[in-house]
Amino acid sequence: VIVVGCGFHFASIYLKVLEEYAGRLELVLAVDLKCEEHRVRQTFTMAAVSPQAYLFLPDKLRVHPKLDELRVAFATKPEAAEADAILICTEPKAHKAFALWAVERGLAVFMDKPISAFDEYQNVNSIDTDFADILAASLQHAARVVISCERRLHYGYRYVDAFLRDFIRRYRVPITYVNVHFGGGVWVMPWEFEHLENHPLKYGYGVLLHSGYHYVDLVARFAELNCAVRDVALDKPRVNVNASFPSDLFDSVGDEIYERLFSNRSIHETVRNVDRARLKGYGEVDFSAIGSYRAAGRKCLDFSLQLIGTTVAARENPERLTGRQPTNGRMRQEEVIIHLGNFCSLSVHSSPFTNVDPRGSIDDFNITIAMNPRVTQGPRVLRIDRAGLSRIYRELPGNAVLNVLARKGLLRGFLDGDASASELSSHRHSVTLLAELLRELRRSHAAA
Ligand SMILES: NC(=O)c1ccc[n+]([C@@H]2O[C@H](COP(=O)([O-])OP(=O)(O)OC[C@H]3O[C@@H](n4cnc5c(N)ncnc54)[C@H](O)[C@@H]3O)[C@@H](O)[C@H]2O)c1
């Protein structure tokens, strides 16, 4: 195996899985940027697997490296020729060239979501073409590509998916409405926007290409479920969007609020001195959309999507920027509501807050299902909490964190060569919806 991008996510999740395979798997090459060499070598000092060789690339290859540049760089490392598979764990702005380099050698690819990010604010159409190019190359070279997108294997969403499939098949009632609300809960200081490389905004993309992809994927997959009873036009979602950008944040949560909450005078000056003109063209911090899918020219499913980065966070020491500071104290919120006409409503609520609430359970995931008496002889309301999920799935430990377990499970399945719930080809309709949301965002932003 080759790993590209030995950052926080790799070290905290994937490296642990590679350690389980120690003795059965060889890490032939670890690739990262030259500027991160010290930290990356440190990452492996205590690990049960360590790479046979390292490849440290010049910093100029951080953003949208070219395939030719990677061919030249990898050619310097004979170990690369030993690999059967590659894990691509960088920010999406570097995914495509690494994926193409790997599939043209027939390597199996495991890659973080989202599949790619565009290189310039106006180039949103590259989202569709990147997907098509990687898929075409993977088919041509018979190379497998799996996307790490954990809600595909998450026990809570597996239950929801199985319930909905069964309900739609049994009663031939489609999903009529989906509402998704995500709260990012990461507090980025106004002066940090310029520096972020992980989940950046300065390259023109924002929450939609960060965590937002998970929720776009959920909506597209709920629309796919309706194909059991309707001929849904999955390639033609209709959307209207609204978004806030970093400069809008200065208007709504401006320097007077920082002045009141921080006693440190240099903070006020730093906030006041942030050059707002430089923020032009930055990606969205908060995003919302309403939209619909049609079937045979008629309305089939409505949805609304709120991807809100600006929500409560518990970051400590916000004055100091060190390491991964913005994600320290992250407080994610997630709510999904699904209606199937007047016959069933299902909701998911998950606001773990475990890092800030000592009374919080190990994880928080609650499903409520209410059914019309015409479709059930049994209980009309089902409530399943985190402990209930472990009673349904006996193999699910009560103390497992569902997202982490799913991410690890996706990688284990990939390494074992099992069929995956997240093959690249299965992301087609999610990418279609994502690209349409981004195009509409650009159109509305240009018109504003
Ligand atoms: N599935 C999830 O829910 C989930 C959770 C966390 C992160 N992620 C994804 O994982 C990715 C990485 O996140 P992270 O938190 O580890 O970020 P990070 O910045 O800590 O790590 C990224 C690593 O990649 C390296 N890198 C960046 N560009 C490179 C390039 N061109 N060539 C070689 N190395 C390069 C960086 O130096 C760094 O070591 C992101 O795309 C993020 O969206 C997904």
Side-chain angles (χ1 to χ4, degrees), residues 303-314:
F303 62 85
S304 64
L305 191 57
Q306 297 110 43
L307 308 173
I308 312 299
T310 317
T311 58
V312 64

Side-chain angles (χ1 to χ4, degrees), residues 128 220 223-224 227 231-239 292-297 303 427-437 439:
D128 312 90
E224 283 175 2
C227 292
D231 191 12
V232 187
L234 292 166
D235 54 343
K236 290 196 181 71
R238 298 182 175 191
V239 299
S292 63
Y293 282 94
R294 300 174 81 81
F303 62 85
H427 284 260
R428 179 185 298 284
H429 301 129
S430 307
V431 173
T432 299
L433 176 57
L434 175 69
E436 197 46 39
L437 292 167
R439 273 192 282 273

Side-chain angles (χ1 to χ4, degrees), residues 4-11 14 31-33 35-36 39-40 55 57-59 61-65 70 88-95 98 112-114 148-151 197-199 209-211 214 324 330 407:
V4 181
C6 311
F8 176 77
H9 193 218
F10 168 75
Y14 302 141
V31 184
D32 208 287
L33 298 171
C35 57
E36 299 292 337
R39 181 186 52 75
V40 170
L55 172 60
L57 302 170
D59 204 42
L61 299 194
R62 179 192 288 277
V63 184
H64 297 283
L70 295 186
I88 304 174
C89 318
T90 67
E91 246 283 310
K93 58 189 184 285
H95 282 177
F98 283 107
D112 268 314
K113 63 78 213 163
S148 177
C149 190
E150 68 258 18
R151 280 160 192 73
E197 287 295 345
N198 180 30
H199 285 184
L209 289 176
H210 302 159
S211 304
H214 292 300
R324 299 184 50 80
R330 182 179 191 198
R407 267 179 238 165

Side-chain angles (χ1 to χ4, degrees), residues 237-257:
R238 298 182 175 191
V239 299
N240 286 293
V241 308
N242 183 46
S244 291
F245 297 86
S247 54
D248 298 318
L249 268 188
F250 281 82
D251 295 334
S252 54
V253 188
D255 46 4
E256 79 284 359
I257 293 180

